[in-house]
Amino acid sequence: MSLSVQGQAVSRGIAIGRAVLVASNRLDVAHYFIEAGQVDTEVDRLRRARSAVVEEIGKVQQSLQELGPKDAHHELAALLDVHLMLMEDTQLQAGVKYWISERLYNAEWALTAQLETISRQFDEMEDPYLRERKADLEQVVERLLRHMRADANPAPMHAPSNRRGEPLVLVAHDLSPADMLQFKQSVFTGFVTDVGGKTSHTAIVARSMDIPAVVGARTASQLIEEDDWVIIDGDAGVVIVDPSPIVLAEYGFKQRQGEVERERLSRIKNTPAVTLDGERVELLANIEQPQDSTPALSVGAVGVGLFRTEFLFMGREGRLPDEEEQFTAYLAAVEGMHGLPVTIRTVDVGADKPLDRSAREDHLNPALGLRAIRWSLSEPSMFQAQLRAALRAAAFGRVNLLIPMVAHVGEIRQVLAHLARARQQLDERAVAYGPVRLGAMIEVPAAALCVPAFLKYFDFLSIGTNDLIQYTLAVDRVDESVAHLYDPLHPAVLKLVASVIAECRALGKSVSVCGEMAGDVAMTRLLLGLGLRSFSMHPSQILAVKQQILRADTRKLRAWAQAVVASEEPGTMMGD
Ligand code: PEP
Ligand code: MG
């Protein structure tokens, strides 16, 4: 039966494909695709784990018999019998083999995918005894996974491939930004998650993949089943499950229209971003990995305005990248941009970008906690290693250093002291380094209200609207239950953005916007009218924003932009 779910539109376009579910149960396993030649190896891993579990249960049964007959033991023995029966269950075995051989899932993923499928059947059972057997099944799967983890030779990670040649869409309850990055090189044509807001980091990485995506779709991962046909409408934020042929045809048409539009946009790739009245605008790229410099250059970005270096630090189980590893990454970005500037933002972990999955719930209020520069200052040796790596990369090209989430002048002084120390350490080691321009992110209202003081220390500012909105409106950017309150057009947000731009211009310092607002075509005219001449966004958004710029006349936008900022309901004036 066809049904639709509403969520948040985060990445435009239409995707139509078969659902691949990333297990939403509590078993946290790696999800990756294997190559066709590795199917037997993965099935063997599973077989070995199965034999080990059967043996393990057999031993427990044996020791129970030796203890003699006692009531409690009867119950335990019966439970173990159930577990053994489940191990023999043909639906479990056949299902897991299907996911491995037909979908090329790694064994752990296949096992949890089949667990999910069978669990749903258990949930629908009327008989409470049978329904409770779901817990047994989970325990059996957990036992198998434990043995598989101990198995030394899992198949190596591979970029996903799809044997049947059908498009695939990814469906998950939640995905961490690090998981998302893992899927970045994949064949998925779209994705949907139950949780998340428009500017959650998972959504941001999805946008960088340039595939249609919907987040905050609440129950999508429960309603959608493996292999279901799904339409993801990334423009409207709608997910349609099991569409009728008419709906399918309609969306197929929309999808082709989108492709034609993209093709048309690609023609302005080499056109300079200059408004009708001759104002030159800088269009920069936001990147997560050094190799993102390739798509950035391919759409004509004139530099990197934000390199989110924290993606080098995430999901590494405590083993953080050292100076050499970071230097290699920064150098690759600098060389990849062929002489254009690269803005390296110092690590911004915390909040919805935990270092590791397990660290997610360590803090009550992570967005207000030890995040970004606060974390860096609390880890001086790590911070200095990062500064040294960036300074060294600056010997090979133009590098800007950007500090996230600064709120106190005291923090700025500490950053400067660390920077001086990092230079001194490189001098002592006689290692070459280059000059850097130093900038601050304006993403906390406190910083937005102290621009003149900040500009005594910084060469440039970059407005991080994603966090500035979150902190101004006290709305968690990740929480879909308050997503309706996350309003980039709130008068308070616009007043802060407008005043930061105006103060920088008055003091002759450069300012850009690097939050998602910069890549939103609905905001381009307003930001131009407020005097912004530098925008940083994901490469996939650059051409659409450029098109807006080419059609704009800033002389006509100035008074209107001021009126929008002064309005009680700026949203009502945006179409003017
Ligand atoms: C922002 O807050 O707007 C920003 C660009 O930083 P991030 O999204 O990485 O927090
Ligand atoms: Mg931020």
Side-chain angles (χ1 to χ4, degrees):
M1 193 190 64
S2 177
L3 54 98
S4 68
V5 190
Q6 182 72 44
Q8 301 275 319
V10 293
S11 185
R12 64 208 161 84
I14 309 287
I16 304 174
R18 282 211 187 261
V20 171
L21 257 80
V22 170
S24 60
N25 57 49
R26 63 201 161 90
L27 303 173
D28 197 5
V29 298
H31 300 86
Y32 56 90
F33 288 87
I34 56 169
E35 284 190 343
Q38 291 167 319
V39 166
D40 291 344
T41 318
E42 286 301 89
V43 173
D44 268 354
R45 287 181 63 220
L46 202 68
R47 202 172 292 138
R48 280 200 298 277
R50 204 176 142 268
S51 309
V53 173
V54 169
E55 196 181 321
E56 188 180 87
I57 296 179
K59 278 188 190 151
V60 182
Q61 282 181 322
Q62 178 73 34
S63 53
L64 282 182
Q65 274 170 13
E66 284 164 12
L67 283 174
K70 271 197 198 154
D71 276 353
H73 294 158
H74 279 312
E75 272 181 25
L76 187 53
L79 197 71
L80 291 172
D81 282 341
V82 171
H83 282 199
L84 273 181
M85 251 164 54
L86 287 169
M87 296 287 295
E88 299 296 331
D89 182 59
T90 46
Q91 198 194 355
L92 180 64
Q93 288 185 30
V96 176
K97 272 195 198 141
Y98 168 81
W99 299 122
I100 296 178
S101 57
E102 293 301 314
R103 281 302 198 76
L104 302 178
Y105 290 3
N106 63 310
E108 288 88 344
W109 185 0
L111 198 53
T112 51
Q114 188 58 16
L115 170 65
E116 190 81 18
T117 307
I118 304 179
S119 294
R120 287 170 193 230
Q121 295 167 5
F122 274 117
D123 287 342
E124 282 162 17
M125 286 176 182
E126 303 252 314
D127 182 334
Y129 173 80
L130 288 178
R131 250 198 336 260
E132 276 164 25
R133 300 286 64 79
K134 179 178 151 181
D136 292 317
L137 183 68
E138 281 177 356
Q139 283 173 20
V140 164
V141 169
E142 257 175 281
R143 277 177 191 268
L144 285 166
L145 287 173
R146 210 172 44 238
H147 280 279
M148 278 156 68
R149 255 195 295 273
D151 193 340
N153 295 314
M157 299 269 279
H158 277 286
S161 53
N162 175 20
R163 205 189 247 186
R164 290 188 305 200
E166 285 168 341
L168 301 176
V169 298
L170 184 68
V171 180
H173 174 67
D174 190 12
L175 283 172
S176 71
D179 287 338
M180 210 55 228
L181 208 60
Q182 187 180 313
F183 285 119
K184 201 165 166 173
Q185 321 298 338
S186 74
V187 291
F188 293 114
T189 55
F191 94 94
V192 51
T193 61
D194 295 346
V195 301
K198 264 188 178 178
T199 62
S200 63
H201 285 93
T202 302
I204 287 172
V205 180
R207 208 163 291 136
S208 77
M209 290 162 74
D210 198 15
I211 57 172
V214 171
V215 301
R218 290 162 194 253
T219 49
S221 78
Q222 287 160 39
L223 297 171
I224 300 172
E225 294 189 7
E226 284 278 350
D227 256 358
D228 274 350
W229 277 102
V230 174
I231 296 174
I232 297 175
D233 182 342
D235 298 310
V238 173
V239 180
I240 302 168
V241 191
D242 201 7
S244 68
I246 294 177
V247 172
L248 208 53
E250 189 188 325
Y251 276 93
F253 176 69
K254 271 196 193 175
Q255 200 176 30
R256 284 189 294 282
Q257 270 186 322
E259 279 155 21
V260 172
E261 170 65 13
R262 270 165 195 252
E263 166 58 29
R264 216 168 45 76
L265 272 181
S266 71
R267 294 189 209 139
I268 57 169
K269 167 171 101 186
N270 297 318
T271 311
V274 180
T275 62
L276 293 173
D277 55 322
E279 288 286 316
R280 190 166 281 277
V281 180
E282 185 180 50
L283 293 180
L284 303 163
N286 290 356
I287 66 171
E288 278 94 36
Q289 295 170 303
Q291 57 269 35
D292 294 340
S293 55
T294 309
L297 284 181
S298 76
V299 291
V302 295
V304 168
L306 174 64
F307 178 176
R308 289 184 163 99
T309 61
E310 51 275 13
F311 284 91
L312 301 172
F313 287 67
M314 282 153 44
R316 303 176 52 120
E317 282 149 22
R319 202 191 57 81
L320 300 184
D322 61 12
E323 179 185 326
E324 280 316 304
E325 187 180 340
Q326 289 188 62
F327 168 62
T328 307
Y330 305 152
L331 183 60
V334 167
E335 288 181 338
M337 289 306 290
H338 300 291
L340 295 169
V342 174
T343 306
I344 298 174
R345 178 173 75 181
T346 61
V347 62
D348 178 8
V349 288
D352 72 325
K353 286 181 287 191
L355 278 176
D356 285 304
R357 289 177 197 182
S358 55
R360 256 187 225 181
E361 282 159 21
D362 273 3
H363 304 280
L364 269 181
N365 252 325
L368 303 181
L370 201 59
R371 188 194 155 179
I373 190 59
R374 301 171 181 182
W375 185 74
S376 293
L377 293 175
S378 75
E379 297 280 343
S381 57
M382 185 290 304
F383 190 41
Q384 278 178 18
Q386 179 164 43
L387 295 177
R388 287 195 304 270
L391 288 169
R392 285 172 58 189
F396 297 85
R398 290 160 66 193
V399 169
N400 303 322
L401 205 54
L402 183 59
I403 313 296
M405 225 188 142
V406 198
H408 303 264
V409 169
E411 288 167 336
I412 306 174
R413 295 210 184 96
Q414 287 184 65
V415 168
L416 293 176
H418 279 295
L419 205 47
R421 176 89 187 105
R423 288 193 179 101
Q424 187 192 351
Q425 286 164 341
L426 291 172
D427 283 335
E428 283 162 10
R429 281 165 39 195
V431 175
Y433 60 90
V436 293
R437 287 172 75 234
L438 187 64
M441 298 223 22
I442 300 297
E443 44 188 355
V444 179
L449 294 169
C450 292
V451 165
F454 275 32
L455 285 178
K456 287 188 198 146
Y457 304 91
F458 291 109
D459 303 309
F460 68 99
L461 298 182
S462 188
I463 310 176
T465 46
N466 305 337
D467 277 315
L468 189 59
I469 297 167
Q470 144 163 286
Y471 294 127
T472 304
L473 303 180
V475 173
D476 188 338
R477 63 195 267 192
V478 185
D479 185 347
E480 70 283 356
S481 67
V482 285
H484 59 291
L485 298 173
Y486 187 92
D487 180 10
L489 286 172
H490 190 291
V493 173
L494 293 185
K495 282 192 173 71
L496 289 176
V497 171
S499 76
V500 175
I501 296 172
E503 286 181 315
C504 282
R505 282 179 69 108
L507 292 165
K509 293 277 176 107
S510 46
V511 57
S512 67
V513 170
C514 63
E516 297 304 295
M517 194 185 270
D520 181 351
V521 288
M523 300 297 288
T524 312
R525 292 167 68 247
L526 179 64
L527 291 172
L528 284 173
L530 294 177
L532 190 75
R533 296 294 179 264
S534 175
F535 295 62
S536 192
M537 67 201 82
H538 276 299
S540 62
Q541 298 157 321
I542 285 185
L543 293 177
V545 170
K546 191 193 273 188
Q547 190 179 43
Q548 295 293 315
I549 290 168
L550 298 178
R551 292 173 180 166
D553 184 334
T554 63
R555 291 166 305 189
K556 295 185 184 152
L557 294 175
R558 257 175 251 145
W560 165 75
Q562 293 306 331
V564 172
V565 174
S567 164
E568 268 179 33
E569 286 183 273
T572 58
M573 296 182 64
M574 288 300 283
D576 298 5

